[in-house]
Amino acid sequence: MRSRRRSSQHRNTLLTNDTPFQIHDFDGDGKNEVVMVRDFQIQLLEGATGKVLKRVWMPPAPVGNKGQPYELNSGDSMIFLNLSGKKGRQEVLLKDRYNTFWVFDNDLKLLWSGTGQTGHYPYPYDFNGDGKDEFVIGFALWNAAGKFVWSHDAEMKDHADAISIGNYTGDPQARPRVYICGSDEGLVIISEDGTLVRQMRVGHTQTQSVGKYRPEMNGLQILTANFWRNTGIVTLFDPDGKILAQEELIPGSSHLQTVNWLGNGQEFAMLNANTREGGMIDGQLRRVVMLPDDGHPDLAYQVLNVTGDARDEIIVWDQDSVWIYTQDRPFTGRRLYEPTRNPLYNDSNYRATVSLPGWKP
């Protein structure tokens, strides 16, 4: 099943890096705002109209930052955090590439800043259950008060790509761990106290997704895809970093977004929308679902539940059209798998996709 919408825009510039732009209910009033960096200003826009509600100048660019031709920083990416304990995430972290980050409140007041090997995109997690986020940026952990807790930046020679944090073991008593795709450093696993648990050098490990790829196993599995020099190598790990499967599947990298296609607790991962080299793979790294060769665009894809039955749809697009694929039959069964995913805000070209188990009658 598909629907199609034509676009009047053609040949827009394609970006593969993040831009400092997000949509989020930043002030907790139940309505979304747009937060973005434009003209060297952090701008807060009313979501319904685009009206500028507030704007402040970006911080100065770091002195001696090579390749920086501007006095002010232009921003690289942004992520919303809960550092105050208020309802929702009402602080925002802005980073450059790859040295400095700044934290602002929802009035765009600068609270504090930090430096380090910032990598591509941070990951927030409430380790101590106090209602405030700690966050990992690069190979380092910071707390909600701006205190530097621990770091492996100095010993890691490449930067951090996708990061996730969680207890994926299936044992509710186990403590969460940090899982970092460390580029040429491979998959790096760190405990919450900063102990390096395991490092698996499987190539330039770029993207990461976490899901129920093997229902017969306890807990969840971590799927990674390589980039640069060894592109297309996909590796499935258990929560301890043991390799369960590895194949060279595609000529490029992939986000490997988790797909709840069947609704029975078995998740797949999406490679891309190409009719020959794409499709969905299972926990054995076999292609199990392919999109039809019907002329659909295959520039980019997104996995979202847009029809409301808890199963996912596949949205594919290019500069000219958007197509949506869904299942060809209704779900039949006693209960339907309904995993909890990353929020729709804090989107990034580099973020890990995390799919936590859940069911609905």
Side-chain angles (χ1 to χ4, degrees), residues 22-64:
Q22 297 282 1
I23 300 172
H24 176 49
D25 180 9
F26 197 27
D27 56 11
D29 67 351
K31 300 177 182 179
N32 281 336
E33 288 77 42
V34 174
V35 185
M36 63 187 299
V37 175
R38 180 171 57 182
D39 300 329
F40 299 100
Q41 296 173 336
I42 310 170
Q43 300 187 5
L44 178 64
L45 280 60
E46 187 176 54
T49 66
K51 176 185 176 182
V52 177
L53 302 175
K54 192 172 185 65
R55 64 179 83 196
V56 299
W57 291 107
M58 280 288 287
V63 176

Side-chain angles (χ1 to χ4, degrees), residues 117-190:
Q117 191 271 78
T118 60
H120 277 300
Y121 203 68
Y123 196 94
Y125 194 87
D126 182 5
F127 278 102
N128 56 19
D130 66 352
K132 302 177 183 179
D133 287 326
E134 290 77 40
F135 62 91
V136 171
I137 184 167
F139 296 93
L141 177 69
W142 296 73
N143 69 15
K147 181 182 178 182
F148 178 77
V149 181
W150 51 255
S151 176
H152 289 274
D153 284 354
E155 65 211 69
M156 300 295 173
K157 305 307 179 185
D158 213 338
H159 63 257
D161 283 310
I163 302 171
S164 76
I165 304 172
N167 171 17
Y168 306 143
T169 65
D171 176 6
Q173 303 303 315
R175 295 300 301 166
R177 290 172 172 174
V178 179
Y179 297 83
I180 302 175
C181 288
S183 301
D184 283 354
E185 301 292 348
L187 180 68
V188 179
I189 305 176
I190 305 173

Side-chain angles (χ1 to χ4, degrees), residues 18 34 49 68 104 160 165 171 234 268 272 310 322 355:
D18 278 350
V34 174
T49 66
Q68 174 60 272
F104 300 83
I165 304 172
D171 176 6
V234 175
F268 299 147
N272 58 55
V322 177
S355 186

Side-chain angles (χ1 to χ4, degrees), residues 42 52 72 79 84 104 116 142 146 148 222 252 290 309 311 336:
I42 310 170
V52 177
L72 299 178
I79 184 170
S84 60
F104 300 83
W142 296 73
F148 178 77
I222 299 98
M290 300 293 290
D309 74 346
R311 293 181 297 175
L336 180 61

Side-chain angles (χ1 to χ4, degrees), residues 77-124:
S77 62
M78 64 172 58
I79 184 170
F80 296 103
L81 307 164
N82 186 343
L83 305 181
S84 60
K86 296 178 182 178
K87 181 181 179 181
R89 286 177 167 147
Q90 296 190 35
E91 290 78 36
V92 63
L93 181 152
L94 271 162
K95 61 176 286 292
D96 67 7
R97 199 179 178 114
Y98 299 96
N99 305 292
T100 310
F101 65 89
W102 304 267
V103 176
F104 300 83
D105 66 13
N106 62 9
D107 200 39
L108 303 186
K109 176 185 176 183
L110 179 62
L111 301 178
W112 51 275
S113 64
T115 59
Q117 191 271 78
T118 60
H120 277 300
Y121 203 68
Y123 196 94

Side-chain angles (χ1 to χ4, degrees), residues 212-219 221 236 244 265-266 283-284:
K212 194 67 174 175
Y213 293 121
R214 291 196 178 182
E216 73 278 7
M217 297 184 66
N218 289 330
Q221 294 75 48
L236 185 72
L244 302 174
Q266 160 97 61
Q284 304 295 332

